[in-house]
Amino acid sequence: MTELMPSYLVFDPANRRLRLDPHEPAFFQNPYETYAFLHGASSAFFWEDYGFWCFGGFDDVNRLLRDRRFGRQNPAGIPDGRGVGADRSHLRAFDGIEANSMLELEPPVHTRLRTLVNRAFVSRQVERLRPRVGALANELIDRFEPDGVDLLPSFASPLPITIIAEMLGVPVEMGPQLLDWSHKMVAMYMHGRTRETEETANRAARDFSDFLRGYVAERRKQPGDDLLSLLIAAQEDGQKLSEDELLSSAILLLNAGHEATVHQTGNAVRSILAQGGDPSRFFTTPDATAATVEECLRFDAPLHMFLRYAYEEIEAGPGILLKPGDKIALLLGMANHDPLAFAEPGAFRPGRGDQKNVSFGAGIHFCIGAPLARLELQVSLKTLFDRQPRLHLAEGPRFRDTFHFHGLERLAVAFRPATGPDD
């Protein structure tokens, strides 16, 4: 059945052109209504508000993520191809971080950086963190106010930032400051950023780098068993990370190590509570827990748009001709709801036989922290609902005005008493 076109968008089917303000509340509160319409109308379309072609079909997104004729690195040499105005001198510190970030680079540099960093994130290394994640989840739950809490600052946010800070060997009490720097830098990827946004991000990048530089100097003198020491010592064919590469890698791991996990934790709690009944029923066994987390990742992913550049003249889809340097967007959240790839994509079904979400990407830029994120989600969600099986929403959750990074503003919850009329 063809979905009706939402009133807040305009779509020209003949030219496959979409006009839709990503800051439209009806859209960022529920992008899946738009996705359902576009899957029926055209899963590849030119989004005029952004100025580039977008792909939301699962097969297209999966294919283009792996297609080496596209990449993250802008062939023009500018980190993201734009600034507010032509002059980027006010972004010198931010651009310096981006220039050495493996997320924004392609082989051979990307291959060398990822190989050096990946050793800390292989599954067997991450699995050793399971007891610590469980202990931390319990500590955070022990601190809950008895009447209720906002789960984002009290649970979803401190858990991953504490884990990644401990892994890197930086002070856990710096968590709030690390979060503040991260949020200001991530704002650079949002639609409609301003000069003020850019200057704020640049200051955050400079301060973040200066902070880490001091810890790198300490670790060079006195290595430990933390990730910073590992990155300093790591070699590949006799090559080590340069100072700038080391700082960029550490900042990327800190930012990526918590930003998406915070949003996914909030989105997952919201999705599970929306199913009604006892939420702990989704976490009865390790296999059930893992399946529930995978469905949460598919059902309401934290990252909805992933950008890439064309490196040659290419037909990205029927009638979509691209030139070198053209930008495209892969809509991960839309791909995860493709009715051609998933039976009843709008239904929350842990253990579904067609589970193959693209929330962590694919190809050479597949999320390096995916094993850690999965473990944190499995342990934290199971612990939360085992400890608080009567947890329920205290108010309707609302999403932030950040379509690109899909996450909640607040997640206010309350706890029913242990006994009562509902028993």
Side-chain angles (χ1 to χ4, degrees):
M1 183 178 70
T2 303
E3 298 286 336
L4 294 175
M5 183 167 67
S7 60
Y8 48 81
L9 65 83
V10 176
F11 184 72
D12 175 5
N15 298 300
R16 292 180 290 176
R17 298 183 80 86
L18 172 72
R19 290 208 310 272
L20 168 61
D21 181 358
H23 302 287
E24 163 60 47
F27 172 63
F28 67 75
Q29 291 299 332
N30 178 23
Y32 303 106
E33 179 184 38
T34 294
Y35 295 162
F37 164 74
L38 290 170
H39 278 306
S42 177
S43 61
F45 51 90
F46 190 87
W47 196 335
E48 294 185 355
D49 302 74
Y50 282 101
F52 44 66
W53 282 93
C54 298
F55 299 83
F58 181 88
D59 288 344
D60 278 343
V61 169
N62 192 40
R63 169 179 61 85
L64 292 168
L65 282 168
R66 302 169 190 273
D67 193 329
R68 297 295 297 279
R69 295 172 296 179
F70 294 88
R72 290 284 297 178
Q73 192 168 356
N74 184 357
I78 303 169
D80 67 352
R82 71 193 190 284
V84 178
D87 179 21
R88 292 183 68 92
S89 60
H90 63 293
L91 286 169
R92 189 170 288 113
F94 181 86
D95 286 353
I97 297 298
E98 294 285 279
N100 291 287
S101 171
M102 63 180 152
L103 180 61
E104 309 300 335
L105 296 170
E106 294 299 315
V109 178
H110 171 273
T111 306
R112 181 175 66 86
L113 292 178
R114 188 172 177 112
T115 300
L116 290 168
V117 174
N118 192 51
R119 295 171 183 173
F121 287 91
V122 294
S123 296
R124 65 180 178 276
Q125 291 289 101
V126 168
E127 186 60 32
R128 297 175 184 173
L129 294 171
R130 189 175 292 272
R132 173 60 183 138
V133 175
L136 180 57
N138 276 298
E139 289 173 21
L140 294 170
I141 294 168
D142 288 342
R143 298 177 201 160
F144 284 176
E145 294 293 330
D147 293 335
V149 296
D150 179 352
L151 275 181
L152 297 184
S154 63
F155 188 74
S157 187
L159 190 146
I161 194 62
T162 299
I163 294 298
I164 196 67
E166 290 178 347
M167 288 179 70
L168 278 163
V170 299
V172 170
E173 58 268 24
M174 282 291 294
Q177 179 62 76
L178 299 176
L179 287 172
D180 182 62
W181 285 332
S182 176
H183 293 327
K184 289 173 179 174
M185 293 180 70
V186 168
M188 285 287 288
Y189 305 104
M190 305 303 180
H191 179 265
R193 76 189 193 206
T194 65
R195 173 73 179 227
E196 182 182 2
T197 303
E198 295 185 346
E199 291 177 348
T200 299
N202 193 69
R203 285 194 298 271
R206 182 195 62 217
D207 294 344
F208 211 156
S209 298
D210 290 346
F211 164 76
L212 284 174
R213 207 179 298 276
Y215 279 90
V216 169
E218 288 183 16
R219 292 302 185 280
R220 289 193 191 280
K221 296 175 184 175
Q222 292 184 309
D225 59 359
D226 53 79
L227 186 50
L228 273 183
S229 299
L230 179 64
L231 292 175
I232 291 167
Q235 294 190 54
E236 181 69 17
D237 297 329
Q239 296 186 63
K240 290 190 174 187
L241 292 170
S242 69
E243 180 90 351
D244 289 340
E245 289 171 342
L246 180 61
L247 293 173
S248 291
S249 297
I251 288 174
L252 173 63
L253 294 175
L254 274 164
N255 289 356
H258 81 274
E259 193 80 28
T261 307
V262 172
H263 298 327
Q264 184 61 79
T265 301
N267 295 357
V269 170
R270 173 184 174 273
S271 298
I272 290 167
L273 292 180
Q275 308 312 307
D278 181 359
S280 64
R281 73 186 185 278
F282 294 111
F283 302 93
T284 54
T285 67
D287 285 346
T289 297
T292 297
V293 166
E294 290 307 300
E295 181 66 346
C296 288
L297 286 162
R298 182 201 70 83
F299 189 73
D300 206 12
L303 177 62
H304 277 223
M305 179 181 280
F306 190 73
L307 303 181
R308 307 196 82 197
Y309 292 95
Y311 289 156
E312 59 185 66
E313 289 191 7
I314 183 173
E315 185 174 11
I320 303 175
L321 303 176
L322 301 175
K323 302 186 298 295
D326 283 351
K327 188 185 295 185
I328 63 169
L330 308 180
L331 303 184
L332 309 182
M334 182 172 168
N336 285 339
H337 279 248
D338 186 347
L340 298 180
F342 302 96
E344 295 189 78
F348 185 80
R349 288 184 178 174
R352 59 168 58 240
D354 53 8
Q355 183 60 264
K356 49 187 180 291
N357 69 76
V358 289
S359 297
F360 289 119
I364 66 169
H365 286 291
F366 180 82
C367 177
I368 197 169
L372 176 60
R374 283 187 164 112
L375 184 144
E376 288 177 342
L377 289 162
Q378 290 168 12
V379 174
S380 65
L381 291 173
K382 175 175 172 53
T383 304
L384 177 66
F385 288 120
D386 281 353
R387 290 280 308 274
Q388 298 287 351
R390 296 175 178 274
L391 182 150
H392 63 283
L393 295 176
E395 61 184 50
R398 292 186 59 79
F399 287 92
R400 304 183 311 158
D401 180 8
T402 52
F403 158 66
H404 195 142
F405 292 102
H406 182 64
L408 295 165
E409 289 181 339
R410 279 171 48 82
L411 185 55
V413 298
F415 316 111
R416 293 190 177 94
T419 60
D422 293 333
D423 282 20

